Amino acid sequence: MKFRILSATAVAALSVSGQLVAYADAPEAEDSRRLEVVTVTTQKTEQSLIDVPINISVTNQDLIDKLGGDDIEDLANFIPGLQVQAQSLNAPTYSLRGVVADGGAPRVAIFQNGVSIGTPGYATSIAIYDIERVEVVKGPQATLFGQGALIGGINYIQNRASTAGNDGKVTLEGGDYNFVRGEGHYNFALSDTLAVRLAGQVKRMDGYVPNTANSPDLMGQNTTAVRGAIHWEPTPAFTADLFLNYQEDESTGTQFTSGFFPVNGVIDPYGPTAMNINADQVRDKLGNDREIFAATANLEYRLNDAWTLTSLTDYRDLTSNEAWDSDGAAFNLLQFYQAREGEAFSQELRLNYDNGGKLSGFFGANYFDYETRDSLTFSTDEAYAQSLFLPQIAAGAGATVAQIRGALMMQGVPGAANIGSFDTPFQYSVVGLLQQGVLIPLNPTHAEQSRTTDARTSYDLFGDVTYDVTDRLALTAGLRYTVNELAASSVGELLRGNAALGGTRNAVTFAPGFLINANLINNPYSVSAEPDGAFTWRLNAAYRVSDNVNTWVSYGRGRRPEALSISGRTSSVVDAETLDNVEAGMFGRFFDDRLQMTTSVYYGQYENFQTSRFDPINGVFVTENSGNATQYGLEFDGQALLTDNIRLLGTYAYNFSEYDDEDSNGNPLQFAGNKFRMSPTNSFSLAADITIPVAQSGTVSIVPSYIWKSKQYFEDDNGFDYIANGSGGFTRVRETYPDGTAVVEEEGSYGLVNLRVGYDSAGDRWGVYVQGDNLLDKEYLIDVGNTGGAFGLHTIIRGKPQMLKAGAYVKF
């Protein structure tokens, strides 16, 4: 039934395009301005956007500036189907068509200059400056982008050095929360064959979430990024481009406002929070220090008129140190510090064929290797940890917390009235009293550490061929074969146990640690796996209705590779996740190139859908198989020139994504009927680019925009715990905080209003502007749950408040 509905929608969309074609040959309008023809490299060669039978959203630096999208979180609001939650430098969440890419191998491939940067699970949050364009490709694109592109890919294409001439630009901007941004570039054409380009960005902002504890206000960030690019073209047949990127970041920490612990007597996700840091978290404040270095070399050699050989080589490394407070309270309960190091190397060789005839395509091989090394330190005050874990301790003793409190008060135990309190927690071990009848002081500085490694080596062979059956009909087929080698390791260490127990255990649970597995303490565990190789593919048929309209249908198989999951001294290989997706769409330019639109409908089936969660028993993030899921939807991306001076831009996305009732073997699924997280059913954006000439001196530009999103959930469990019912199914129980209050893991619909007003001089040599983001200061949430949610202490992250900025630029 769902597929029939989509088929009908596709036919309707194509019939509408046919009607619009009738207008495309209308007499030329009086206005002379036209929408630019967009060139993309999605299919490994330069093509006009109309020639690519894929749903693609493209933005360039000029549009990024006008929309105020200088980070991907803001830019995503204007790309249908894409949501980005950049709560942390190391853990941004990308959701494309309702499918989230966080933890494990990516579902949304992130590329920089054609090179995968997302597979290692780090360094995906990069500074956007001096960009040629950003291409967002929808649907499974394993043939084009590799196995990480289960549901699509994002490619940040930076400006190359150019031999066309010397030019530069500098932009300075300031605003609320002591915001300062300076960026610029200069291109040196050293000769007809050699050019160098230098670019950089400095961005500073104080936190916009007040913090009443011993760390600065949260959600602030300092970024310094520099890039060098070299272009060398010694002969007409050979070109070489080199990019060197370096980025240094320092943040003041992610807001994890507690939904349980009040601040100033109230629980308010939009008010102050109380997040602290301690000595075991190494840094002097919450947040992240991060350094990224990347070197990319793209060599192209034209063998003859038909064949071109391309070599794409990339090396990148990352170091980061991050401290966060998962409980959102001003005491030491769930304090974490993570040190991370990682390297990645990739090499791709590709042959492109195009002799101007009916057949074209490319063939190649890719090698990719990465390794990350993490050290995760957990520290806590045992008195607060005991209050948190006391319900489980009491249940193990066949009692309630109130019963234990009453019994120990009757025995005259000092401070027994505080058992279970977080305000003035009991300072002695309850287990020690129940089991041994002795007072064991609790340790205020318990600390433990887990050290893990994660590595993957991939080998790919791929090919993609297009055949023009007629001058209107083109068929495309692509195939990729991938082999993975996986490796992981884990070891634990108790850094500081309870002195009264010889320093070898904690006095709350009497286990060595709270999170580390006892069997891993000073006892490393390593595992490797070589799953069987697998194929992914795509089949496309494109029919050119006219010179200005291209329609297409496609079928693709996307794949998220197997994952190694370690729990204690056992491990498992989680099955690869697959997506079979069918899609129909069109791209058209109408009314003498004054209207442009891309639209498509899609239907997809997932098998072995992987989810990631924090395992509080072993202190690690684990990947699990959550079964099957279904997805379908519609996307629209368009712009229109109403007059020479008014351009409208609009996007719309409808997405239905939810878990099936059963897996492929007929077993009931835990999340049956649940919606995917970060997946609003409806979302749209609308912007106007209005220019008003001012005599001969320049133009005033006015760019209002509006973004709207419907209700969405923040976790795949949709706010419920799941208990096996004994019949193979599950009973849903509403998640609650320790006091029994229900957890709300969702956000209702909301809309945001932005405005940019500027003046650009004649010749566009200089300009000034003011910009307001979230002008109406709409309060909305972007996440609920987080690491604290694994312990029943869900934390909340608010969206950005109103922010006002002003800036100026000069070109030379």
Side-chain angles (χ1 to χ4, degrees), residues 8-202:
T9 307
V11 171
L14 297 183
S15 67
V16 169
S17 73
Q19 296 171 29
L20 287 171
V21 171
Y23 292 97
D25 297 323
E28 183 173 320
E30 293 181 3
D31 294 320
S32 59
R33 187 181 174 194
R34 300 293 179 267
L35 293 172
E36 295 180 359
V37 175
V38 178
T39 300
V40 297
T41 54
T42 300
Q43 297 192 124
K44 307 293 187 180
T45 187
E46 287 193 358
Q47 294 176 288
S48 174
L49 185 58
I50 194 172
D51 295 323
V52 184
I54 303 171
N55 189 325
I56 307 174
S57 294
V58 184
T59 53
N60 58 21
Q61 187 67 63
D62 179 64
L63 187 56
I64 290 170
D65 291 341
K66 288 186 175 182
L67 296 176
D70 62 332
D71 62 56
I72 187 61
E73 187 174 24
D74 293 329
L75 181 60
N77 289 324
F78 300 95
I79 298 174
L82 179 64
Q83 282 203 113
V84 178
Q85 185 217 96
Q87 62 165 268
S88 167
L89 291 171
N90 278 349
T93 298
Y94 292 80
S95 173
L96 186 58
R97 291 185 170 175
V99 179
V100 172
D102 56 354
R107 294 184 177 102
V108 182
I110 311 297
F111 283 76
Q112 187 179 62
N113 301 319
V115 174
S116 173
I117 63 174
T119 300
Y122 61 75
T124 54
S125 180
I126 57 175
I128 299 178
Y129 64 100
D130 194 32
I131 288 285
E132 179 181 328
R133 66 186 182 276
V134 178
E135 297 178 3
V136 180
V137 186
K138 323 292 181 56
Q141 304 297 336
T143 302
L144 302 176
F145 288 117
Q147 60 187 334
L150 173 86
I151 191 62
I154 303 172
N155 192 5
Y156 299 93
I157 301 170
Q158 298 170 328
N159 279 312
R160 303 183 180 197
S162 171
T163 58
N166 298 342
D167 66 84
K169 179 181 180 181
V170 172
T171 300
L172 295 175
E173 187 176 86
D176 290 337
Y177 303 100
N178 291 319
F179 175 84
V180 176
R181 177 170 70 99
E183 64 182 46
H185 73 269
Y186 194 80
N187 188 88
F188 300 87
L190 302 178
S191 70
D192 291 341
T193 61
L194 182 64
V196 174
R197 189 182 188 95
L198 300 176
Q201 181 190 80
V202 176

Side-chain angles (χ1 to χ4, degrees), residues 521-759:
I521 295 178
N522 301 319
N523 189 17
Y525 176 75
S526 300
V527 62
S528 61
E530 296 184 17
D532 294 337
F535 288 97
T536 49
W537 58 81
R538 70 166 179 150
L539 298 170
N540 290 63
Y543 183 74
R544 196 69 171 254
V545 178
S546 72
D547 289 344
N548 297 318
V549 178
N550 195 17
T551 61
W552 48 269
V553 294
S554 69
Y555 166 60
R557 160 66 65 89
R559 185 174 185 270
R560 192 188 202 196
E562 297 88 353
L564 270 179
S565 185
I566 295 179
S567 182
R569 297 195 65 78
T570 63
S571 62
S572 62
V573 177
V574 181
D575 292 335
E577 174 186 323
T578 60
L579 165 64
D580 288 298
N581 184 80
V582 293
E583 192 158 350
M586 62 84 67
F587 177 91
R589 294 172 67 87
F590 311 103
F591 305 111
D592 201 25
D593 293 340
R594 299 180 67 83
L595 170 66
Q596 175 179 298
M597 58 183 289
T598 299
T599 186
S600 71
V601 291
Y602 57 88
Y603 177 87
Q605 286 280 355
Y606 292 87
E607 278 197 82
N608 303 319
F609 196 82
Q610 298 174 4
T611 54
S612 179
R613 68 174 177 84
F614 184 74
D615 176 8
I617 303 301
N618 296 291
V620 295
F621 287 90
V622 297
T623 302
E624 297 176 322
N625 185 338
S626 294
N628 295 357
T630 298
Q631 173 187 68
Y632 55 87
L634 176 147
E635 291 170 347
F636 171 87
D637 189 349
Q639 51 181 301
L641 278 172
L642 301 185
T643 71
D644 272 4
N645 304 110
I646 302 177
R647 177 175 58 150
L648 293 183
L649 304 99
T651 70
Y652 169 74
Y654 168 81
N655 179 269
F656 177 91
S657 299
E658 73 173 25
Y659 290 92
D660 294 345
D661 292 336
E662 299 176 339
D663 64 15
S664 300
N665 298 317
N667 300 312
L669 295 182
Q670 176 175 325
F671 293 157
N674 282 12
K675 302 293 186 183
F676 285 3
R677 64 179 296 240
M678 284 186 65
S679 177
T681 302
N682 294 279
S683 60
F684 74 84
S685 69
L686 185 63
D689 179 11
I690 304 167
T691 57
I692 303 173
V694 181
Q696 301 298 314
S697 62
T699 59
V700 173
S701 64
I702 305 172
V703 185
S705 61
Y706 181 73
I707 302 128
W708 184 87
K709 297 178 183 181
S710 65
K711 174 183 173 180
Q712 61 183 300
Y713 293 94
F714 296 123
E715 298 292 344
D716 288 320
D717 60 28
N718 287 189
F720 290 89
D721 289 323
Y722 297 82
I723 303 171
N725 61 16
S727 302
F730 298 89
T731 299
R732 300 206 314 174
V733 179
R734 190 75 189 184
E735 285 186 297
T736 62
Y737 292 105
D739 63 357
T741 303
V743 176
V744 180
E745 287 185 349
E746 61 195 62
E747 174 61 281
S749 61
Y750 64 90
L752 304 176
V753 176
N754 305 320
L755 178 65
R756 185 182 190 273
V757 178
Y759 174 80

